[in-house]
Amino acid sequence: MNLNNIRIVLHQPSHPGNIGAVARAMWTMNLSHLYLVQPKSFPDPIATKRATGAEALLEHAVVVDTLDEALAECGLVIGSSAQTRHLPWPILSPPECAQKAVQQASKQQVALVFGPERTGLSNEELQRCHYQVAIPANPAYSSLNLAMAVQVICYEVYGEFLSHHATEGVMRELASDAQLQSFYGHLDKLLDAVHFRRPSSSPDLIPKLKRIFNRAELDEDEINLLRGIFKKICNDPSI
Ligand code: SAH
């Protein structure tokens, strides 16, 4: 997974404040490549002020004259627009857009394109995108502020990135069922050895303890640690 391959492209943004707010929105979501196509005013102190903390991202923003230049090396291009078109374009929800963008970014550059504040993307501009992404909104007023639209999409992209990381990097190998069952056998012995169990004890005692240990999703190392403690408590070499 490579967020470095995902760029945000603002087509003809007219308010420098929005450019700064977009930089901040991107940086909070770990995205750092901003392309500006014919910005009305950039660099601009208003943009820098609104970036609060993401000024470095603005300094590295790439300013170009045409969408062609902003998109040239990109394999996948997704255009963001609320509007349904006369010729409907294949439409994605923000999570679907994030999934496609993050997947493709493991191979090549991906662009997420946002239109000018007043007019949005033209049909022609949208039609050079593989897909349109639309943020679900009030049908009577579906047009978000540019930076807020960027925030929503970047949030989805980062969430998608994190969910891949969760499955790739963070998964631990849990103890096998055989190891776990043998651990429960030792636990049983421990309860007897320390006279915890009484004739009046609830039959649910062992299932309740199992529930606790199951919730902990023990791995082999943790089982060995607990077993060492049990052994010490009841001084029983068979544990
Ligand atoms: N008046 C314009 C709105 C432009 S808002 C219009 O009707 O299209 C600036 C940009 O923010 C849009 O071009 C689009 O890229 C993005 N945007 C705003 N609201 C959006 C939504 N609901 N779904 C997807 N993108 C949106």
Side-chain angles (χ1 to χ4, degrees):
M1 296 300 126
N2 185 0
L3 287 184
N4 262 329
N5 274 351
I6 299 183
R7 67 181 64 175
I8 298 295
V9 178
L10 303 185
H11 186 48
Q12 299 176 334
S14 51
H15 297 297
N18 276 339
I19 299 178
V22 163
R24 184 175 180 175
M26 290 171 62
W27 192 222
T28 54
M29 296 295 123
N30 226 336
L31 290 168
S32 48
H33 299 292
L34 176 62
Y35 282 66
L36 303 170
V37 184
Q38 290 176 2
K40 195 162 177 191
S41 174
F42 188 82
D44 189 301
I46 296 174
T48 310
K49 193 149 182 263
R50 286 287 295 278
T52 38
E55 294 87 353
L57 195 152
L58 280 187
E59 276 162 32
H60 292 110
V62 181
V63 180
V64 292
D65 275 335
T66 60
L67 262 181
D68 285 335
E69 289 165 88
L71 304 179
E73 338 58 295
C74 296
L76 175 68
V77 179
I78 301 178
S80 188
S81 170
Q83 300 169 43
T84 45
R85 308 286 168 146
H86 166 66
L87 176 63
W89 216 238
I91 219 155
L92 302 173
S93 67
E96 288 167 340
C97 160
Q99 194 183 26
K100 284 207 181 291
V102 170
Q103 272 172 359
Q104 202 63 33
S106 62
K107 284 262 170 287
Q108 61 193 145
Q109 298 278 327
V110 170
L112 304 173
V113 187
F114 295 80
E117 291 90 335
R118 235 161 31 82
T119 56
L121 294 172
S122 69
N123 285 335
E124 199 183 308
E125 286 151 1
L126 184 66
Q127 285 164 8
R128 62 177 301 156
C129 302
H130 294 89
Y131 297 97
Q132 171 180 354
V133 58
I135 300 165
N138 178 358
Y141 187 55
S142 60
S143 172
L144 279 72
N145 163 269
L146 171 60
M148 297 196 184
V150 171
Q151 182 81 70
V152 170
I153 300 298
C154 292
Y155 167 76
E156 293 292 347
V157 166
Y158 191 52
E160 178 67 21
F161 172 76
L162 286 182
S163 70
H164 277 272
H165 261 258
T167 48
E168 271 175 15
V170 182
M171 294 304 279
R172 293 177 304 133
E173 187 173 340
L174 302 183
S176 67
D177 182 67
Q179 288 167 332
L180 205 58
Q181 298 316 316
S182 138
F183 168 74
Y184 289 140
H186 291 132
L187 178 63
D188 206 46
K189 278 193 183 175
L190 174 78
L191 295 178
D192 286 336
V194 299
H195 307 293
F196 185 84
R197 209 178 340 231
R198 307 237 148 73
S200 61
S201 288
S202 155
D204 290 340
L205 176 62
I206 288 287
K208 278 185 179 169
L209 288 169
K210 283 186 177 175
R211 205 167 54 180
I212 294 172
F213 286 110
N214 283 344
R215 271 206 305 271
E217 299 190 346
L218 298 170
D219 62 28
E220 188 178 355
D221 195 43
E222 291 164 338
I223 282 191
N224 287 336
L225 174 69
L226 289 169
R227 181 179 294 175
I229 295 172
F230 292 177
K231 205 185 272 187
K232 196 84 182 169
I233 292 174
C234 57
N235 209 4
D236 178 350
S238 74
I239 290 184

